[in-house]
Amino acid sequence: MSDKLTKDTAIAHRVLELKENPSEKVDVFIGNPFQLGKDEWACPYRIVGGGIDLNLQIIGVDSVQALQLVFPIIDSAIVGTDVPLLWDGEEYLGFTPK
């Protein structure tokens, strides 16, 4: 996957802010799931800003599973960057249940 998701190509977009510098934004994009094989679907996602540019995809057995799996994967990817982020001023970023 070489095309990087943008506001124009994503099906969903969330803007986060750096905790130490709320004026600096981090964009999270989720792309449209697409079929790779008979029982294999991918859902692309991108996290960009604050020194991060992750452009990846998650695999599921169908489009629904790929879309379901992308939310906790995004949450884990953000935690793995060690960049403290906020969503609407809160530490809860909204990708996993509270």
Side-chain angles (χ1 to χ4, degrees):
M1 182 182 83
S2 60
D3 294 339
K4 292 188 176 189
L5 290 168
T6 66
K7 262 176 119 169
D8 295 329
T9 59
I11 62 169
H13 173 233
R14 175 161 288 167
V15 179
L16 306 174
E17 54 202 34
L18 268 67
K19 187 173 185 177
E20 292 86 23
N21 183 6
S23 65
E24 191 168 349
K25 305 301 180 196
V26 172
D27 292 294
V28 178
F29 301 103
I30 298 171
N32 196 31
F34 61 93
Q35 193 164 12
L36 293 171
K38 181 178 180 271
D39 293 320
E40 190 174 56
W41 285 72
C43 185
Y45 65 95
R46 183 177 184 205
I47 304 167
V48 62
I52 305 164
D53 193 352
L54 299 174
N55 192 54
L56 302 166
Q57 60 190 16
I58 186 67
I59 307 297
V61 298
D62 61 18
S63 59
V64 172
Q65 186 186 46
L67 196 53
Q68 286 175 319
L69 292 174
V70 80
F71 292 97
I73 292 297
I74 288 171
D75 190 67
S76 294
I78 290 170
V79 169
T81 66
D82 287 329
V83 176
L85 299 173
L86 302 173
W87 175 45
D88 199 27
E90 300 291 328
E91 291 185 4
Y92 172 65
L93 303 180
F95 294 105
T96 57
K98 240 181 177 181

